[in-house]
């Protein structure tokens, strides 16, 4: 399989980087911003003491040239920001940087009052990093038709009097909200940990997928990972999770409960379970307590099965069914293994089910596309903040199979799912069946900060290989089938093969592939 180069960054971890076949595209994924740790001094006098500075290199390496700030605008900006220091009574937060190319770089020092509360001071640093990354990489250079430079001073003033980190981060989130882009956001350390678990495909826990019942509010087991700790303990789909260790779960949401089930491998957790069909009135009669030891759990996003059929000419035809639930880091390897296995079992045609797949890692979506394509086809076109369009292509790719392919999509198919569906459809490799996709045609880079929080920034939008708009439009299938025939809530890395052959969209795909 041909590789696609991906822009990388030295100081941050970009989880959803933009793969590129051209060095010039690396600026979409990675501005060369550098932030060092900064100390703020507290002094009894009213004089501002500058002990440490954060270095912000404002130019971006773009092959043969540098992006430059407008010097006049930069000088005006410096003056405006330095006025903030007039209100500093005892402390200062100092940020130092450069404007322009290396040959004519001018020093820019920004001084802000520093909060006396340590966690708020850390939020001030996060604000500056957030503001700088948005300034240099956000896809809309007008920042929703507002003066982005003034937002730093404005938000810093709002943060200074607050007493808690939560309140300070709320001010940063409010600043980002003015962009009018729900995908550009700052997430808490806890939220980011959940994101990483989803995309890494590895967690430490008991192997349960749970959800809150919409009608009763009970926490119900959707499924147990086959062979996992919970499955071996006899916990099944439909069971109610009543208690974790000594904490009763009444009113607790699924995410919070899931976080309590996770923990270091080898540690015990005690669960109280009410069997499916039992009622609260039955009391303890149908409840049982189990002690489970947490393990390393690898979640595969790929489910594969062979669906045998009698072909019109009478021979036994084998259809390879593949369901991809997310684009995590192990999606490509798992998909490659599944396709190879189905080939060995004699599959003659394929269905790739992307329904209710919300996306994930863009690079994973492009790498999965390569498993089905030969040659040097364009996979997607990216459009940067200046309106420049760059095709991302594969070089010398070799498909694992050339058998006919149908892709199932619906309104829950988004982002990387739409990239994959568009790549295979526009290159004539697959027919699309289902209903119109979600329509998320934006790509985010993800930057993790020192406090564990992370910034998602929209850095580009994408078009299909045939230059079809996707964002807020979606991809229309070639053949419609009712999305109501599929219960998306039960789909995921834990679900099995039950009901596939009765799925009306699968039947429609089989007809399109000539099975009947």
């Amino acid at each position: 399989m041909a590789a696609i180069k991906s822009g990388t960054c030295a100081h941050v971890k970009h989880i959803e980087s933009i793969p590129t076949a051209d060095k010039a595209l690396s600026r979409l994924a990675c501005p060369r911003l550098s932030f060092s740790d900064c100390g703020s001094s507290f002094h009894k006098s009213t004089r501002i003491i500058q002990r440490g500075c954060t270095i912000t290199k404002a130019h971006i390496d773009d092959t043969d040239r540098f992006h430059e700030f407008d010097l006049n605008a930069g000088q005006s900006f410096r003056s405006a920001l330095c006025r903030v220091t007039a209100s500093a009574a005892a402390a200062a937060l100092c940020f130092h940087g450069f404007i322009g190319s290396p040959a004519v770089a001018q020093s820019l020092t920004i001084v802000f009052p520093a909060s006396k509360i340590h966690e708020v001071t850390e939020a001030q640093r996060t604000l500056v990093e957030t503001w700088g990354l948005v300034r240099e990489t956000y896809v809309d250079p007008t920042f929703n038709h507002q003066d982005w430079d003034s937002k730093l001073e404005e938000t810093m003033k709002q943060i200074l009097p607050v007493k808690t980190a939560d309140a300070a981060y709320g001010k940063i989130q409010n600043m980002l909200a003015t962009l009018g882009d729900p995908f550009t956001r700052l997430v808490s350390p806890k939220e980011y940990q959940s994101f990483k678990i989803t995309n890494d495909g590895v967690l430490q826990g008991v192997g349960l997928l749970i959800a809150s019942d919409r009608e009763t509010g009970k926490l119900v087991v959707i499924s147990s990972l086959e062979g996992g700790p919970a499955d071996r303990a006899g916990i099944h789909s439909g069971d109610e999770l009543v208690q974790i260790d000594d904490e009763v779960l009444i009113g607790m949401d699924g995410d919070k409960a899931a976080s309590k089930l996770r923990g270091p491998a080898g540690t015990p957790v005690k669960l109280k379970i009410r069997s499916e069909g039992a009622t609260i009135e039955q009391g303890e009669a149908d409840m049982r307590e189990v002690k489970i030891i947490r393990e390393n759990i690898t979640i595969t996003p790929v489910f594969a099965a062979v669906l045998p059929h009698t072909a019109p000419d009478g021979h036994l035809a084998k259809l390879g069914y593949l369901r991809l639930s997310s684009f995590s880091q192990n999606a490509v390897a798992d998909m490659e293994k599944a396709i190879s296995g189905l080939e060995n079992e004699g599959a003659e045609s394929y269905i790739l089910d992307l329904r209710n797949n919300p996306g994930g890692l863009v690079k994973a979506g492009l790498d999965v596309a390569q498993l089905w394509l030969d040659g040097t086809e364009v996979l997607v076109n990216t459009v940067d903040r200046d309106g420049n369009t760059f095709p991302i292509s594969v070089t010398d790719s070799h498909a694992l199979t050339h058998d006919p392919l149908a892709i199932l999509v619906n309104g829950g198919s988004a982002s990387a799912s739409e990239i994959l569906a568009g790549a295979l459809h526009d290159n004539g490799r697959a027919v699309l069946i289902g209903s119109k996709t979600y329509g998320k045609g934006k790509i985010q880079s993800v930057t993790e900060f020192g406090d564990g929080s992370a910034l998602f920034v929209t850095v580009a939008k994408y078009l299909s290989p045939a230059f079809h708009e996707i964002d807020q439009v979606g991809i229309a299938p070639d053949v419609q089938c009712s999305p109501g025939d599929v219960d998306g809530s039960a789909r995921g890395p834990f679900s099995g093969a039950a009901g596939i052959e009765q799925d009306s969209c699968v039947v429609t795909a089989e007809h399109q592939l000539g099975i009947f």
Side-chain angles (χ1 to χ4, degrees), residues 207-259:
L208 277 180
L209 182 64
I210 61 175
S212 178
D213 186 279
R214 292 181 181 178
E215 296 182 359
T216 65
K218 297 177 181 178
L219 288 174
V220 179
V221 174
I222 300 300
S223 58
S224 297
L225 179 65
E226 185 177 355
D231 181 52
R232 297 197 305 270
I235 300 176
H236 306 296
S237 175
D239 288 348
E240 179 191 351
L241 189 58
V242 178
Q243 189 171 309
I244 299 177
D245 288 327
D246 296 321
E247 186 167 2
V248 177
L249 304 180
I250 296 175
M252 186 179 294
D253 62 47
D255 288 340
K256 186 174 181 180
S259 69

Side-chain angles (χ1 to χ4, degrees), residues 170-509:
K171 302 298 183 184
I172 301 174
Q173 290 162 346
N174 291 341
M175 177 186 76
L176 293 174
T178 65
L179 296 170
D181 174 18
F183 302 111
T184 295
R185 63 202 189 279
L186 183 69
V187 301
S188 68
K190 181 179 178 181
E191 291 174 308
Y192 187 53
Q193 283 301 313
S194 294
F195 171 83
K196 288 196 291 186
I197 287 171
T198 301
N199 286 281
D200 289 346
V202 178
L203 60 82
Q204 293 179 319
V206 299
L208 277 180
L209 182 64
I210 61 175
S212 178
D213 186 279
R214 292 181 181 178
E215 296 182 359
T216 65
K218 297 177 181 178
L219 288 174
V220 179
V221 174
I222 300 300
S223 58
S224 297
L225 179 65
E226 185 177 355
D231 181 52
R232 297 197 305 270
I235 300 176
H236 306 296
S237 175
D239 288 348
E240 179 191 351
L241 189 58
V242 178
Q243 189 171 309
I244 299 177
D245 288 327
D246 296 321
E247 186 167 2
V248 177
L249 304 180
I250 296 175
M252 186 179 294
D253 62 47
D255 288 340
K256 186 174 181 180
S259 69
K260 293 182 177 297
L261 291 173
R262 300 184 194 119
T267 60
V269 60
K270 186 172 59 177
L271 306 180
K272 187 169 285 188
I273 304 294
R274 179 178 285 116
S275 300
E276 182 180 14
T279 64
I280 296 177
E281 288 74 18
Q282 291 175 289
E284 300 287 329
D286 280 302
M287 281 206 296
R288 66 188 187 280
E289 190 172 281
V290 294
K291 183 178 180 180
I292 302 176
I293 303 300
R294 297 181 177 97
E295 298 178 4
N296 290 316
I297 305 292
T298 299
I299 302 175
T300 175
V302 178
F303 171 80
V306 172
L307 305 181
H309 296 280
T310 302
D313 63 3
H315 87 279
L316 183 65
K318 293 183 178 180
L319 170 70
Y321 172 85
L322 295 155
R323 181 167 63 233
L324 181 60
S325 61
S326 67
F327 291 88
S328 58
Q329 291 186 10
N330 54 338
V332 182
D334 288 354
M335 179 60 71
E336 184 172 6
K337 180 180 178 181
I339 295 173
S340 297
L342 292 173
E343 282 288 289
N344 291 335
E345 292 188 57
E348 301 172 23
S349 55
Y350 287 87
I351 293 175
L352 175 58
D353 194 344
L354 298 178
R355 290 173 296 178
N356 301 304
N357 181 330
L361 306 181
V362 172
K363 188 177 187 303
L366 297 175
D367 285 346
V368 170
Q370 293 182 76
L371 301 177
W372 301 92
L373 293 170
D374 285 320
T376 59
E377 290 92 341
V378 173
L379 299 177
V380 71
N381 294 288
T382 63
V383 183
D384 69 9
R385 64 190 290 170
D386 299 318
N388 301 313
T389 300
F390 301 93
I392 295 179
S393 306
V394 295
T395 56
D396 195 28
S397 181
H398 300 284
L400 296 180
T401 178
H402 298 93
D403 292 329
L405 172 65
I407 298 178
L408 305 184
V409 294
N410 66 2
S413 307
S415 192
S417 287
E418 293 171 296
I419 289 178
L420 175 58
L424 298 181
H425 178 266
D426 286 4
N427 283 294
R429 182 64 183 88
V431 58
L432 300 185
I433 296 171
S435 55
K436 184 180 290 186
T437 62
Y438 180 83
K440 181 180 181 290
K442 293 185 174 75
I443 300 175
Q444 285 74 44
S445 67
V446 185
T447 304
E448 183 177 4
F449 295 138
D451 62 356
S453 64
L455 176 67
F456 290 67
V457 181
T458 298
V459 294
K461 73 172 187 176
Y462 57 81
L463 308 174
S464 75
F467 296 98
H468 295 141
E469 190 78 40
I470 295 175
D471 194 47
Q472 301 183 38
V473 177
I475 300 175
D478 300 303
V479 181
Q480 292 275 345
C481 73
S482 173
D485 294 333
V486 179
D487 179 11
S489 64
R491 307 166 61 79
F494 296 84
S495 54
I500 293 176
E501 294 185 356
Q502 286 72 47
D503 186 325
S504 67
C505 291
V506 170
V507 174
T508 300

